[in-house]
Amino acid sequence: MELSEQEIVRRQSLQTMRDMGINPYPAAEYEVTGYSTDIKAGFIDENTDENLKSEISNLKSKIWHTGDKVRIAGRLMSKRIMGKASFIELQDSKGRIQVYVSRDDIQAPVAEGETPTTVEQNMYNVVFKKLLDIGDFIGIEGFVFRTQMGEISVHAQKLTVLAKSLRPLPIVKYKDGVAYDGFNDPEQRYRQRYVDLVVNDGVKDTFLKRATILRTMRQVFDEAGYTEVETPILQQIAGGASARPFITHHNTLDVDMYLRIATELYLKRLIVGGFEGVYEIGRNFRNEGMDRSHNPEFTCMELYVQYKDYNWMMSFTEQLLERIAIAVNGTTKVQIGDNIVDFKAPYRRLPILEAIKEKTGLDLASMDEDAIRTEAKKLGVEDTEHMGKGKLIDEIFGETCEGTFIQPTFITDYPVEMSPLTKMHRSKPGLTERFELMVNGKELANAYSELNDPIDQYNRFVEQMKLADKGDDEAMVIDHDFMRALEYGMPPTSGIGIGIDRLTMFMTGQPTIQEVLLFPTMKPEAN
């Protein structure tokens, strides 16, 4: 392995530490008693404004005063050496804080008549000044104070090496408040997310918000009395959605299996089994394209509740998303690119055929399949010959309408051909009780009044197989065990799936799915 000059120097520093008797990777626990942002947010001294003191006193976190003892730990991110005293910037899990380091404080005093150890003699001049590098993990024991420049800092009284960094960080530089020479190449950032999180401001905040989204979602479902479950990822039939699966092989059973494309059919089995409501938040896998809004593995939430329909689910969904928006951003309004999207309920509800007519003037409800295919070709939809009527309508909607719905809008009442798991509409022949939620020109959620008639369901699966024979490689196959479950009886049920990655994009205003995945799928790295 060829090393850079800096990497060679760091390895030499590592060995010097060991020669001095310092373990650069100690195993003992290092108890942290304070964090950077908490110390700065809760600090009070004589210079603190009275109004701010009142606000701080109402904080649930600890109040810090001048002289309070603290133990902090984190990465060394900058070092300004000024003779016998220096300032460093320490980055912990919550943010950054300045640390004042004095030779006379961290260089351990030696009692009269005793011989100082190598470490005691050289803690400041050798260890701190020469052997510590940017990126090293250190622990600091000291007290909190405010510098003459007014910055809340920690005065170090003891320094402990916690982990030596052997590879230099690509530290972002600033001039006049503007960052330059940064770690901003997207491919490098996504491959080396561990570096991205350390050096680029705001990246970690995106994933903390993602965690808030999931936590809030679980709170809403748990408060409603629904049960979180786990269903198989390896499945013998790729069912529950129209998508191309990943195929693997089970050696012991000697059978091909599929990574799941959806959790739907297993969750419905649990409704058959008597659960009132079940949900799963987990990975799905689809062997399809990769772009700014699609990743082959993605996180989806699916929820199924007995004795509900898609009208109830629309109301439940808009309340859920309103609560998530407030939890993440403190408001229902979110900036997504150039658009401000308001997640405050209620949302507009618009049947898909009316949406197409509204945007294009085409009345597809009065056309047969051949006429719709002709219109699709005029609109630039390609490879229409293998498509059925429902698929054609879906393609026309995607081509002409989908991108125009910026504010949250429920597109409802899809044709039966494109909704093989959905109950027939109670008053509109040929349509189903299904909705998709459009936000900022993209689909965010898909939901049904679930089909629970086993005979009708079987016939729908047969129609899907006919589409497969015509060349539709995303058509569903018959899941005979699921059919058996339905024959035991499933109560009226409503279900929904929400893409967590896309929801996170919307709630954080990120332009690509790669920005909300810690480790997105990448092409193999060149050696």
Side-chain angles (χ1 to χ4, degrees), residues 174-465:
Y174 292 88
K175 184 176 182 180
D176 299 328
V178 178
Y180 69 99
D181 194 23
F183 187 70
N184 49 27
D185 177 75
E187 183 166 335
Q188 281 191 312
R189 289 182 53 233
Y190 304 150
R191 287 190 190 281
Q192 301 178 44
R193 183 68 83 187
Y194 38 88
V195 177
D196 188 32
L197 289 163
V198 173
V199 303
N200 285 326
D201 293 339
V203 174
K204 189 175 183 179
D205 185 57
T206 295
F207 295 100
L208 292 175
K209 288 183 175 180
R210 182 185 177 112
T212 299
I213 290 170
L214 293 173
R215 184 166 55 250
T216 305
M217 188 172 280
R218 284 188 168 98
Q219 287 173 350
V220 171
F221 297 157
D222 293 347
E223 289 168 7
Y226 307 144
T227 304
E228 183 171 12
V229 298
E230 295 175 300
T231 60
I233 291 177
L234 284 177
Q235 301 182 357
Q236 294 189 22
I237 293 176
S242 297
R244 186 180 303 160
F246 284 93
I247 304 174
T248 187
H249 187 78
H250 194 297
N251 290 333
T252 301
L253 298 177
D254 193 25
V255 295
D256 283 343
M257 301 190 78
Y258 304 93
L259 298 184
R260 70 181 177 200
I261 58 176
T263 57
E264 177 168 348
L265 299 187
Y266 278 97
L267 292 175
K268 286 182 180 178
R269 287 171 169 92
L270 298 179
I271 295 295
V272 170
F275 281 91
E276 175 189 0
V278 291
Y279 70 96
E280 181 169 8
I281 300 173
R283 290 291 211 196
N284 290 342
F285 306 84
R286 298 184 182 179
N287 197 359
E288 299 172 341
M290 295 167 53
D291 56 31
R292 292 167 61 87
S293 58
H294 295 89
N295 194 68
E297 58 174 313
F298 60 97
T299 303
C300 187
M301 184 288 301
E302 290 197 41
L303 166 72
Y304 295 84
V305 185
Q306 64 180 3
Y307 308 126
K308 307 296 183 185
D309 65 6
Y310 80 141
N311 292 308
W312 175 89
M313 188 63 80
M314 279 187 265
S315 299
F316 184 82
T317 300
E318 60 195 9
Q319 296 294 333
L320 170 68
L321 295 179
E322 179 179 325
R323 182 163 165 182
I324 289 174
I326 293 172
V328 173
N329 296 304
T331 175
T332 60
K333 295 182 178 180
V334 181
Q335 182 83 41
I336 307 176
D338 295 332
N339 302 316
I340 296 178
V341 176
D342 193 348
F343 284 95
K344 185 173 179 58
Y347 306 156
R348 186 186 184 195
R349 305 180 183 191
L350 182 65
I352 186 171
L353 295 178
E354 291 183 24
I356 293 173
K357 187 175 181 179
E358 181 181 284
K359 301 295 181 181
T360 69
L362 294 174
D363 185 6
L364 301 186
S366 62
M367 299 182 187
D368 60 18
E369 182 176 316
D370 289 337
I372 294 174
R373 180 174 287 107
T374 298
E375 295 297 337
K377 290 179 179 178
K378 291 180 183 178
L379 294 169
V381 176
E382 298 179 354
D383 193 23
T384 63
E385 298 309 315
H386 74 281
M387 297 182 187
K389 183 177 180 180
K391 184 77 169 178
L392 289 166
I393 292 173
D394 187 35
E395 291 293 325
I396 290 173
F397 176 80
E399 190 73 27
T400 63
C401 304
E402 184 172 334
T404 67
F405 292 102
I406 304 303
Q407 299 305 317
T409 304
F410 292 116
I411 303 299
T412 68
D413 304 345
Y414 283 71
V416 63
E417 296 90 345
M418 57 191 297
S419 309
L421 299 169
T422 312
K423 185 169 288 189
M424 293 294 293
H425 199 285
R426 66 197 75 179
S427 63
K428 300 178 181 179
L431 302 181
T432 60
E433 294 194 349
R434 172 187 176 188
F435 72 78
E436 290 186 331
L437 177 60
M438 300 295 163
V439 177
N440 201 49
K442 298 286 186 180
E443 174 202 341
L444 175 60
N446 187 22
Y448 320 141
S449 293
E450 301 295 337
L451 179 56
N452 62 340
D453 179 340
I455 296 175
D456 189 1
Q457 181 64 84
Y458 180 79
N459 292 333
R460 303 272 195 96
F461 277 142
V462 170
E463 291 301 314
Q464 285 287 299
M465 298 301 289

Side-chain angles (χ1 to χ4, degrees), residues 14-22:
L14 176 75
Q15 187 57 50
T16 301
M17 284 185 183
R18 285 179 167 149
D19 293 342
M20 294 174 66
I22 299 173

Side-chain angles (χ1 to χ4, degrees), residues 442-502:
K442 298 286 186 180
E443 174 202 341
L444 175 60
N446 187 22
Y448 320 141
S449 293
E450 301 295 337
L451 179 56
N452 62 340
D453 179 340
I455 296 175
D456 189 1
Q457 181 64 84
Y458 180 79
N459 292 333
R460 303 272 195 96
F461 277 142
V462 170
E463 291 301 314
Q464 285 287 299
M465 298 301 289
K466 291 179 181 177
L467 291 176
D469 292 339
K470 293 174 65 175
D472 187 347
D473 59 3
E474 293 185 352
M476 292 187 192
V477 297
I478 300 177
D479 186 333
H480 290 284
D481 179 69
F482 174 67
M483 289 304 311
R484 178 168 55 193
L486 278 190
E487 289 171 359
Y488 279 104
M490 185 176 82
T493 299
S494 183
I496 187 170
I498 297 177
I500 299 299
D501 306 323
R502 187 164 292 176

